[in-house]
Amino acid sequence: MAEDGAGNGTEYDVVVIGGGPGGYVCAIRCGQLGLKVACVEGRGALGGTCLNVGCIPSKALLHASELVHEAEGNFAKMGITAKEVSVDVPKMLEYKDGVITANTQGIEFLFKKNKVDYVKGWGEIASATEVKVGDQTLKTKNIVIATGSEPASLPGVEVDEERVVTSTGALELKSVPKKLVVIGAGVIGLELGSVWARLGAEVSVIEFLDVITPGQDGEVQKHFQRILKKQGIDFVMGAAVQKVEKLKTKLKVHYQTRKDEKDHEMDADVVLLATGRRPYTEGLGLDAVGVETEKGMVKTDDHWRTNVAGIWAIGDVIAGPMLAHKAEDEGMAVANEIAGQHGHVNYGVIPGVIYTAPEVASVGQTEDELKEAGRKYKIGKFPFMANGRAKANFASEGFVKLLADAETDRILGCHVIGPAAGDLIHEVCVAMEFGASAEDLAMTCHAHPTFSEAMREAALACGDGAIHA
Ligand code: NAI
């Protein structure tokens, strides 16, 4: 159903299918560029996975659980005494839901401000110029597919979102499980695993590979896993989960380890399936209009055009990292292309952040990638242990690792594990966009005392040496 009488009879320049970070940003930018635009969304709220069942709600729970941890772990050390800290899970979920509503309603306001028609319902592409939503047909010159992704399934694991959950159900658990088994040591498994661990669950992570967070810098992976172990999270590495058996009062997770090729089992109260996500294209009608896909992803050229003229695609549904900010960038870029301007996304400078405590953030190439490419590089490393602000805040675990070209000193990558890493990484993103050298960063005055001084010190370490290490 269209809001404010939008939809029927209107000839659009652009109809965006999907109101997540890719789709809603694209629609807003189209509105700003003077295009007549509608955004079709079926879940009843804008913001997609990110705002409704992903990034935003998980960050609310991460924040709340980190405060619990801070109170339990560090208050006494600072001379703060409080009555015993207790957790009211339903109240915490209420707080999280309030955060979601505030954010999704914010997008509705932005749609009105930018003259975007919000069409409620599931969209189906009827032709290159028509999108069907329920019993209405939207006529348009361009269609942008921004339908996102959904959790990938695993044979033998039947998700019910109560006892066997994906990230969606893990944000809705009514109480703290006694034992949580996480399948997959990727971003989702570790972020949500650490939320429930901090709230008191015993957490075991079963991971197929021998390393956690595939694709991260190897040194960060090892250090990160050590920190998580110290926080009480248990890891079974090199193990493939084969089945989750649902018994009356508990779950039995069956897995096989590569080393001994033996079958093992582990009991759980709740199992979190976090083995990746897959593009969501159900009911879109791609086959009928002949839009090509590859491994379930919509195939596009470098400028987000599918093989059907006038149909574009962005975000999780196409190739590349499944990250909200990557989708947003593509959303803005494709709007520019449709408006006849130039759209650009620098895929070499897309930061990745894992919102655990401490956070993990990275941008550019890893040391392993540079080695493989045969590139000569230098490393500037600085530990948070030597950063005054981090020490004062009991947040001195981790380090900054800056990688620069051995000859030109140009920054090639940065990998951070430590306090506020997800914010700190952006100074390197900006530096890389400007083709900066490590010396450029080292010569930039950084306020004292801040965590960001560790970034400068790592840059100094690429040259004549860090001052405080
Ligand atoms: P992931 O791809 O990051 O990690 C999945 C892990 O599961 C891998 O380490 C894989 O080896 C393991 N695995 C696969 N099959 C297995 C099996 N049978 N037994 C044991 N382990 C198995 O996927 P994840 O964490 O589900 O995240 C999905 C997507 O969502 C990712 O693209 C991620 O980047 C994105 N995301 C990003 C966030 C952020 O930027 N902070 C937060 C949440 C999700």
Side-chain angles (χ1 to χ4, degrees), residues 134-426:
D135 53 12
Q136 71 174 140
T137 300
L138 310 178
K139 290 204 174 308
T140 181
K141 297 191 183 93
N142 294 276
I143 296 169
V144 178
I145 301 169
T147 46
S149 60
E150 60 178 349
S153 55
L154 188 67
V157 183
E158 188 209 334
V159 171
D160 54 33
E161 296 297 10
E162 283 190 9
R163 290 204 295 164
V164 180
V165 298
T166 63
S167 49
T168 304
L171 294 165
E172 288 291 332
L173 299 181
K174 304 280 174 287
S175 59
V176 180
K178 199 163 172 302
K179 172 80 190 218
L180 172 70
V181 171
V182 177
I183 312 176
V187 192
I188 292 180
L190 299 182
E191 284 186 2
L192 290 173
S194 61
V195 163
W196 291 106
R198 274 195 294 271
L199 295 178
E202 188 192 324
V203 177
S204 291
V205 180
I206 304 179
E207 166 58 46
F208 179 71
L209 301 174
D210 295 320
V211 291
I212 65 168
T213 57
Q216 281 284 343
D217 184 273
E219 222 176 330
V220 170
Q221 285 174 330
K222 286 192 196 103
H223 198 84
F224 186 29
Q225 192 176 1
R226 264 203 307 276
I227 290 176
L228 292 171
K229 274 187 189 164
K230 239 171 54 188
Q231 292 177 359
I233 296 179
D234 175 52
F235 287 90
V236 181
M237 304 302 290
V241 169
Q242 280 147 342
K243 190 169 74 172
V244 175
E245 203 182 336
K246 290 182 180 172
L247 304 175
K248 209 165 173 196
T249 55
K250 63 179 176 189
L251 304 164
K252 236 179 220 318
V253 183
H254 297 265
Y255 62 94
Q256 196 179 64
T257 40
R258 246 196 319 278
K259 219 157 57 187
D260 57 9
E261 288 184 3
K262 279 199 178 128
D263 292 333
H264 302 264
E265 53 184 53
M266 190 184 282
D267 287 348
D269 299 301
V270 172
V271 169
L272 165 59
L273 177 65
T275 51
R277 296 180 63 86
R278 63 175 174 216
Y280 183 72
T281 55
E282 216 181 287
L284 254 187
L286 294 186
D287 290 342
V289 278
V291 171
E292 268 177 27
T293 57
E294 198 171 44
K295 293 185 191 150
M297 286 177 280
V298 177
K299 220 168 130 184
T300 64
D301 67 8
D302 289 349
H303 286 86
W304 312 283
R305 289 184 190 90
T306 69
N307 61 310
V308 178
I311 303 185
W312 313 68
I314 56 168
D316 284 10
V317 82
I318 67 168
M322 289 186 171
L323 296 171
H325 44 284
K326 174 254 192 193
E328 286 180 40
D329 279 24
E330 290 173 343
M332 286 190 274
V334 93
N336 285 347
E337 289 281 335
I338 291 171
Q341 301 177 3
H342 180 63
H344 176 70
V345 176
N346 181 359
Y347 288 99
V349 185
I350 293 184
V353 179
I354 307 176
Y355 299 89
T356 43
E359 290 181 349
V360 177
S362 61
V363 66
Q365 287 167 285
T366 63
E367 196 181 342
D368 293 331
E369 284 168 346
L370 293 174
K371 268 190 198 146
E372 211 170 293
R375 185 119 185 212
K376 288 204 171 62
Y377 60 91
K378 53 187 173 175
I379 303 174
K381 237 178 114 179
F382 189 79
F384 279 99
M385 186 66 88
N387 174 275
R389 183 71 177 275
K391 273 205 291 214
N393 287 20
F394 301 110
S396 55
E397 274 179 318
F399 55 83
V400 178
K401 176 175 175 178
L402 193 71
L403 299 162
D405 188 279
E407 277 148 34
T408 65
D409 195 37
R410 188 181 176 136
I411 299 172
L412 302 174
C414 184
H415 307 276
V416 187
I417 176 161
D423 288 296
L424 298 182
I425 198 72
H426 294 99

